[in-house]
Amino acid sequence: MRVSLEQAIAELKNGGVVAIPTETVYGLAADATNDNALKKIFAIKQRPADHPLIVHIGDMNQVSDWATTFPEVAIKLAEAFWPGPLTLVLPAQPHVSRVVRGDEPTVALRVPNHPVALALLKQGNLSVAAPSANLFTQLSPTTAAHVEAGLGESISVLDGGACHVGIESTIVSVSSNGQWQLLRPGMISEEDIAKVAAITNQAPSTVGADAKQALPKVPGQHALHYSPRTPLLLFKDRQSLIEESEALQAAGWSCAALLIGDGDEVNFQSISLPNAPEKVAELLYSSLHCLDAMKVDRLLVELPPALPSWLAVLDRLSRAGYR
Ligand code: AMP
Ligand code: MG
């Protein structure tokens, strides 16, 4: 059910749940100070309770309402990238709901860069937890129609058009001594972060195998996350994708493909995206939603090159399918 901005604010203030647009993906929002409302998010998404939620705030001045410290590095990052697709994980104030923290001692904060989301937060004087508005481990929604297709028509949706960034925010944790760590890659790259943080004598660890053990739970790091329903196969180049498609078709299986960059045409249904990381990120989930709806036996996806600019797209694709 589509709702207006005023209706969305009223529902949220009343302890309800509303899907809202952000520049990354649509979020399933609830008042971040209301435990009963927050629990509805977990129930609707079928998300495990120990997976913390990102709190969306309207202004960086509100960080001190949630975090015990706002280290210099985090201030610089917020000034550089907020409003925008960067989430900062900071030590939480003791009053911050355990439900939103997933029992972690930290809280994740972000000022979204979307006029409708900002209007909702500011006019409503609200802070909302808003994980992606989809079932746990399924494809994230980047349009109001995706939300309804995934969660059903009865969910309240505030339509703000298609999301422009298209994949989830970059997540950086900053400890009280100013050390920072990338928890999830996104369209703001680790290099962008490092430049602003201007870390000189302390190399940050990334989402490597060693780093993971010491990190808090990271829902987005689930091995299979962001998945379409159709089994998805990943290929490092066009040629190997075409060879596999021929073998599949010879065995009577139907295929559809997501192609990235230039290369030979394929003789079955496909979506072609340009060799441009921002554009592919923007259209990634909507392309996968569209391919999924074709109800073929296998989705074949051509991976972009393993370059830093493609890291966030590669991360999401590697969690969506099998190589
Ligand atoms: P999403 O499912 O897109 O809402 O992502 C939630 C992400 O935020 C997870 O990947 C966590 O890493 C991160 N996160 C949220 N809250 C916290 C927290 N309190 N401590 C650490 N990480 C958090
Ligand atoms: Mg999600």
Side-chain angles (χ1 to χ4, degrees):
M1 184 193 10
R2 304 287 166 103
V3 296
S4 67
L5 179 64
E6 291 68 28
Q7 287 169 322
I9 290 172
E11 275 194 48
L12 289 167
K13 284 187 172 297
N14 219 7
V17 168
V18 181
I20 63 164
T22 79
E23 80 278 31
T24 58
V25 302
Y26 271 72
L28 192 61
D31 179 349
T33 63
N34 180 335
D35 279 1
N36 282 333
L38 292 167
K39 285 177 187 162
K40 292 179 191 168
I41 293 181
F42 288 91
I44 294 171
K45 279 183 65 74
Q46 298 165 23
R47 175 170 165 130
D50 61 355
H51 286 204
L53 305 175
I54 296 171
V55 178
H56 294 69
I57 54 178
D59 191 287
M60 92 179 246
N61 292 331
Q62 293 165 17
V63 167
S64 56
D65 297 342
W66 298 89
T68 51
T69 52
F70 197 6
E72 183 64 25
V73 168
I75 294 175
K76 280 193 196 157
L77 292 173
E79 284 171 349
F81 299 114
W82 281 358
L86 173 69
T87 296
L88 292 173
V89 174
L90 297 170
Q93 292 268 13
H95 69 79
V96 177
S97 157
R98 295 169 78 96
V99 181
V100 90
R101 289 188 281 118
D103 256 350
E104 298 292 333
T106 46
V107 62
L109 299 167
R110 179 166 106 81
V111 180
N113 186 20
H114 191 290
V116 177
L118 285 172
L120 176 125
L121 297 172
K122 289 181 177 171
Q123 283 180 39
N125 192 24
L126 280 161
S127 301
V128 300
S132 52
N134 57 307
L135 294 179
F136 185 58
T137 76
Q138 294 195 351
L139 273 184
S140 299
T142 56
T143 64
H146 292 159
V147 176
E148 289 159 348
L151 296 180
E153 297 286 332
S154 62
I155 196 91
S156 296
V157 187
L158 177 56
D159 189 357
C163 305
H164 289 304
V165 174
I167 62 174
E168 297 79 358
S169 59
T170 304
I171 303 181
V172 173
S173 75
V174 183
S175 60
S176 35
N177 66 5
Q179 255 197 308
W180 65 274
Q181 195 161 47
L182 185 74
L183 296 188
R184 177 172 73 188
M187 294 314 287
I188 295 175
S189 70
E190 185 166 16
E191 199 191 347
D192 299 334
I193 303 285
K195 267 190 211 148
V196 173
I199 296 287
T200 49
N201 55 358
Q202 229 166 25
S205 47
T206 56
V207 197
D210 296 344
K212 254 188 207 164
Q213 294 182 343
L215 293 180
K217 295 165 204 78
V218 184
Q221 305 306 311
H222 250 242
L224 263 191
H225 204 100
Y226 317 114
S227 314
R229 289 190 173 84
T230 315
L232 182 149
L233 303 169
L234 304 169
F235 297 89
K236 64 179 189 330
D237 56 47
R238 181 78 51 98
Q239 205 44 45
S240 52
L241 183 152
I242 290 174
E243 281 165 21
E244 180 68 15
S245 72
E246 285 166 355
L248 286 165
Q249 287 175 309
W253 298 71
S254 58
C255 304
L258 180 65
L259 306 172
I260 297 179
D262 296 330
D264 292 343
E265 299 282 307
V266 296
N267 63 354
F268 51 92
Q269 301 181 91
S270 65
I271 294 177
S272 279
L273 297 177
N275 187 25
E278 279 78 19
K279 205 67 198 161
V280 172
E282 180 181 352
L283 300 176
L284 183 68
Y285 291 133
S286 55
S287 302
L288 291 173
H289 278 285
C290 183
L291 292 165
D292 208 16
M294 293 175 186
K295 302 253 181 281
V296 292
D297 296 314
R298 290 290 180 275
L299 298 184
L300 312 182
V301 173
E302 179 179 9
L303 291 170
L307 297 172
S309 55
W310 287 102
L311 199 71
V313 167
L314 282 166
D315 172 74
R316 301 311 186 274
L317 281 174
S318 68
R319 291 174 206 289
Y322 308 89
R323 220 172 297 236

